[in-house]
Amino acid sequence: MKMLCLILLLPLNLYGSLNIAILDTGFCPSLLVTSQNIKINKVVDLTGTIKNDYCQKFNIHSERFHGHLVLEEFLHYLVPTTEKIKITPFVVFDSSGLQKEIYWKKFINKKFDLVVSAVGLISSLNISRHLSGVWFVAAPRIGPNIKKDSIIYPANIAPQDNLFLIGNYFSGTKILFDEAQLYQKQIKYFFPKGDGGLVGTSRAVSEAAARAIILCRKSFETNLQKCLENNKAVIGNMVTY
């Protein structure tokens, strides 16, 4: 009886699935192959504007399917985890390819063990500084729509103990950091930029989050950063400034 009471008092996620959310543009889970222990839930459209049949026009080069590539890369690095995992993809880009604070606000109060975001919102306001669970966020970089002084949520609220801002570097005979990345002093780890269909910090954060699950799942509720530091030699391509 005492043993039964102890089990009931322990956190459920120690015995249940790891619940993961991915925020991005669009996803086509039916086109992906997963292991038996990984379940991908129905895609949630936080914008309410995306047609259900958009995956019939799947195009790997379309920005609409950036999220699909992130999810695919994430799954690639999850092998060979035996962890029971449930992934829920969330669309935060509407049919016009735009984001709005209201879309993100619909998500912020949801509770997940891990949130992976390879995208960010250009904003003049902090939506919320309180984030539930562990967040792996791609560092934004200067581009056509992002300026040096742009405020990009949720990267702009780093550093936080449960927010891991991930950057990328160019690998070769010498490591070169991408100077166009914003919030460089807040970036915790850098991973390779990559050279495939998905590149940059989007690819880097996909690998980073998956590595954290495989090597440090038991440390999610205690000290994840310490675990990652202890496993630097195993991860190999994870570097810091």
Side-chain angles (χ1 to χ4, degrees):
M1 181 60 118
K2 289 183 179 179
M3 178 62 70
L4 176 60
C5 292
L6 177 62
I7 292 175
L8 290 175
L9 289 173
L10 289 172
L12 291 177
N13 60 4
L14 289 180
Y15 292 97
S17 299
L18 180 67
N19 289 308
I20 300 172
I22 297 186
L23 307 178
D24 219 292
T25 58
F27 308 85
C28 300
S30 62
L31 302 180
L32 298 171
V33 177
T34 62
S35 60
Q36 290 183 345
N37 59 315
I38 298 177
K39 177 185 178 183
I40 303 178
N41 294 325
K42 183 180 178 181
V43 178
V44 178
D45 173 21
L46 294 173
T47 78
T49 66
I50 308 299
K51 294 182 179 179
N52 293 330
D53 62 351
Y54 73 93
C55 284
Q56 294 180 10
K57 299 179 181 179
F58 179 79
N59 179 356
I60 194 173
H61 302 294
S62 169
E63 291 184 357
R64 170 51 62 190
F65 299 105
H66 176 268
H68 179 88
L69 296 180
V70 169
L71 176 55
E72 185 175 44
E73 188 83 354
F74 179 62
L75 291 171
H76 169 74
Y77 282 100
L78 276 180
V79 177
T81 182
T82 57
E83 186 79 33
K84 290 184 178 180
I85 293 173
K86 292 181 180 179
I87 302 173
T88 305
F90 288 85
V91 175
V92 290
F93 284 77
D94 61 28
S95 57
S96 299
L98 301 176
Q99 298 185 79
K100 295 179 181 178
E101 289 188 0
I102 189 174
Y103 305 153
W104 282 77
K105 287 178 178 177
K106 288 180 181 179
F107 175 82
I108 282 303
N109 291 326
K110 298 182 184 298
K111 296 186 182 299
F112 286 88
D113 300 308
L114 172 65
V115 179
V116 181
S117 177
V119 297
L121 174 69
I122 299 177
S123 174
S124 59
L125 300 172
N126 288 338
I127 301 174
S128 172
R129 294 195 63 85
H130 175 72
L131 302 176
S132 176
V134 173
W135 285 59
F136 274 75
V137 177
R141 64 189 309 278
I142 298 171
N145 299 316
I146 298 178
K147 308 304 178 185
K148 190 174 182 179
D149 59 351
S150 294
I151 297 174
I152 312 297
Y153 183 86
N156 70 304
I157 64 173
Q160 291 196 28
D161 290 342
N162 65 331
L163 193 161
F164 289 77
L165 195 59
I166 305 298
N168 75 106
Y169 63 85
F170 303 92
S171 56
T173 55
K174 182 180 180 181
I175 289 178
L176 297 174
F177 293 100
D178 183 356
E179 295 301 325
Q181 295 172 109
L182 301 180
Y183 306 109
Q184 292 188 25
K185 291 183 178 180
Q186 282 73 46
I187 294 175
K188 288 192 176 179
Y189 300 111
F190 295 81
F191 282 78
K193 176 180 183 290
D195 56 7
L198 182 70
V199 296
T201 55
S202 294
R203 197 220 68 79
V205 77
S206 304
E207 179 181 352
R211 298 281 193 190
I213 293 171
I214 292 176
L215 296 172
C216 299
R217 171 64 186 104
K218 293 180 180 179
S219 300
F220 268 53
E221 294 84 12
T222 54
N223 195 331
L224 179 55
Q225 185 164 349
K226 182 179 179 180
C227 178
L228 291 173
E229 292 288 341
N230 291 340
N231 281 280
K232 268 188 177 180
V234 178
I235 298 175
N237 54 357
M238 180 180 79
V239 301
T240 55
Y241 263 142

